[in-house]
Amino acid sequence: MSERSPLPIPPPSRSARALGVVRLSNVTGVTTSPGRQRAAIQSCAEHLGLTLIAEAADLGVSAHKSSPFERPSLAPWLHRSAEYEAIVWAHVDRAVRSVVHMSQLIEWGQQQQITLVFGLPETAHPLVVPPQAGSNVILRCMGLAYAAEQEARTISVRLTSAHEALRATGRYGGGLIPFGYKKAPHPSGVGWCLAPDPGTADVVRTIVNGVRSGLSLVALARKLEDAGIPVPRDRHAQLQGRPTGGRRHGRHFERFRWTAGSLSKILRTPALMGHRVHKGESVRSSDGSPVLIGLPLLTEEEFHTLQGALDARSKGRHPRRNKTSLLIGIAHCAGCGGRMYFATRKAYEYGDYVCRASARGTTCSAPAAIRASWLDEYTTDSYRKAYPAAGEVSRELLLSHGVRVTVAKGRSGGGPERLSGPDTSRLTFTITGPPSI
């Protein structure tokens, strides 16, 4: 008989509060897994006398790729452990698919005094892991996590092989559909391929015509924003019946915005010619010809002409800097509050810190820019005034002391005196000091 670890007895006045957690890697319109998970969670809660107070649902989130502490819905609840005494999952693999993640979860439960409950469909009783769980219970959890991890690896290998076969035959194997296309039955009658999507194919042609007419990608992104056209990721979410937007760079967005970068991805992909694409390159058959997965939106001549126009715009760019600039994450634009980034200058040895609001798909009313060497020197001098004994001033040191430099937009025009150094009236230096220990 398997060992059972009972929950700590709750106070007589009320039952222990519990958080129910639902997770699913892939969401489709016909899946019933979330409902079955909720039923299993409810059964576990009733069996143990728990009161479910809330649910954290991460649908479309892989347990193999993300730990419980990285999931959009669950992670915030793990920082609010004072609001419940237990967490309930329908099964171990709904919680983790990694021995490492299971170890982290158990350690967290011990530290926060939270009981972990895993439903076990093959038995009549759930697996309960209280903060004081013995070694036998922990070993059992590790064994189940190992089995889930091995299963995830097997599935991954199987899917990789399946996708390789689909790429070779020109069939659509799932995932994000290239912008401008929709899923359609394969002509062979087996599986799926891609076909031009009337709702977005015209948008692609509008973008291409805009590039041909000389419009910048930033200007085109603004036009698409003004027209309310969803970006590819949001369009895919709409087709799947899921909400648009999501988390990016630690922030939540109701919908994502068009940027020059997102446009470049659309315009650079050989999928526009109907090619099957893997890691950005056309998949080719044994004779070297591209594998077709759908009707082309652009002919090969049109596509290569487009690439030539895009390449011409990028000529003269300096190679990417391997070293992170000193003030990334420290220098901010006063006009919009966003970060400033290093940008090289054509035909000049120096570069600037510039506001990149347009690259984020937003508009800045007063975008700032300043020579990088000037701002680096101003910041390090200001820092040394606060900490005279400081040695080398690194980016990590500035960040750890909460340094922030705000740059206001400068005026246009001026004489040779403008080349003598920065106008410090545009600059604001603040420092919060090292973190308290």
Side-chain angles (χ1 to χ4, degrees):
M1 181 180 294
S2 61
E3 178 183 355
R4 292 177 57 198
S5 299
L7 274 168
I9 299 174
S13 59
R14 60 177 175 82
S15 62
R17 299 167 298 176
L19 172 70
V21 180
V22 174
R23 187 200 61 78
L24 186 63
S25 297
N26 298 303
V27 182
T28 67
V30 297
T31 183
T32 60
S33 179
R36 286 184 279 113
Q37 289 184 51
R38 292 183 178 104
I41 290 169
Q42 183 66 43
S43 177
C44 288
E46 292 175 357
H47 180 79
L48 298 169
L50 300 173
T51 300
L52 293 171
I53 62 165
E55 176 185 283
D58 287 305
L59 304 182
V61 178
S62 168
H64 182 59
K65 297 179 180 178
S66 65
S67 79
F69 304 92
E70 298 169 329
R71 296 171 198 164
S73 183
L74 177 57
W77 277 102
L78 297 182
H79 293 289
R80 298 159 54 186
S81 57
E83 300 181 23
Y84 49 87
E85 287 77 45
I87 302 181
V88 186
W89 286 270
H91 198 275
V92 169
D93 60 14
R94 297 302 95 194
V96 297
R97 281 190 178 272
S98 160
V99 172
V100 172
H101 294 166
M102 176 61 84
S103 177
Q104 293 171 344
L105 191 60
I106 292 175
E107 183 180 1
W108 173 86
Q110 292 171 341
Q111 293 173 348
Q112 304 298 322
Q113 293 296 296
I114 298 296
T115 296
L116 310 177
V117 180
F118 306 105
L120 297 177
E122 64 274 14
T123 68
H125 306 289
L127 174 60
V128 182
V129 190
Q132 309 85 1
S135 58
N136 288 342
V137 173
I138 293 177
L139 285 173
R140 188 177 182 201
C141 287
M142 293 301 180
L144 291 169
Y146 178 77
E149 183 173 339
Q150 293 303 108
E151 182 184 23
R153 289 178 179 172
T154 301
I155 292 172
S156 178
V157 170
R158 189 184 303 132
L159 287 175
T160 298
S161 299
H163 280 282
E164 287 176 354
L166 289 171
R167 282 195 292 272
T169 57
R171 287 188 173 86
Y172 168 69
L176 186 65
I177 298 174
F179 194 72
Y181 287 93
K182 65 177 181 179
K183 189 170 72 170
H186 195 274
S188 67
V190 179
W192 302 88
C193 65
L194 297 178
D197 175 20
T200 55
D202 288 342
V203 176
V204 172
R205 295 187 183 94
T206 299
I207 296 170
V208 172
N209 291 335
V211 173
R212 290 171 177 166
S213 68
L215 284 176
S216 70
L217 297 186
V218 172
L220 285 168
R222 288 175 180 167
K223 282 181 172 292
L224 295 172
E225 277 296 310
D226 292 342
I229 295 171
V231 301
R233 185 170 168 181
D234 283 344
R235 172 65 175 171
H236 185 71
Q238 290 176 342
L239 293 174
Q240 297 293 318
R242 294 187 283 111
T244 59
R247 293 188 68 82
R248 178 178 290 171
H249 306 308
R251 296 173 56 196
H252 181 79
F253 296 87
E254 294 296 328
R255 55 179 292 272
F256 293 114
R257 301 180 66 88
W258 285 98
T259 66
S262 59
L263 281 174
S264 181
K265 289 180 181 178
I266 292 172
L267 297 173
R268 290 291 193 179
T269 177
L272 293 175
M273 297 181 287
H275 290 189
R276 184 68 167 94
V277 177
H278 181 57
K279 294 184 178 179
E281 301 292 334
S282 297
V283 176
R284 297 187 178 276
S285 60
S286 57
D287 63 2
S289 60
V291 175
L292 300 180
I293 195 172
L295 295 174
L297 297 180
L298 300 178
T299 65
E300 288 197 20
E301 182 180 357
E302 289 173 328
F303 180 78
H304 292 303
T305 300
L306 174 63
Q307 302 314 300
L310 294 172
D311 290 341
R313 298 182 180 193
S314 63
K315 283 184 179 179
R317 284 185 178 176
H318 294 256
R320 182 181 294 274
R321 288 159 53 96
N322 294 324
K323 182 179 178 182
T324 302
S325 300
L326 178 67
L327 302 183
I328 299 300
I330 297 161
H332 291 75
C333 172
C336 62
R339 288 184 177 185
M340 299 179 72
Y341 292 88
F342 182 88
T344 56
R345 277 197 176 199
K346 294 180 182 178
Y348 288 90
E349 295 181 356
Y350 62 87
D352 298 324
Y353 287 109
V354 298
C355 172
R356 294 297 303 277
S358 61
R360 296 191 296 270
T362 59
T363 302
C364 179
S365 59
I370 188 171
R371 189 179 296 191
S373 58
W374 288 352
L375 193 60
D376 286 348
E377 183 177 358
Y378 166 83
T379 304
T380 53
D381 287 347
S382 300
Y383 177 81
R384 286 198 170 100
K385 289 178 182 178
Y387 295 94
E392 180 184 358
V393 179
S394 65
R395 176 172 176 265
E396 291 72 21
L397 186 64
L398 295 173
L399 287 169
S400 69
H401 282 72
V403 173
R404 181 185 177 100
V405 182
T406 304
V407 184
K409 183 178 180 180
R411 59 183 177 83
S412 59
E417 67 278 2
R418 295 193 63 193
L419 302 178
S420 61
D423 176 7
T424 56
S425 65
R426 300 170 51 201
L427 310 178
T428 303
F429 178 92
T430 58
I431 184 169
T432 59
S436 57
I437 300 176

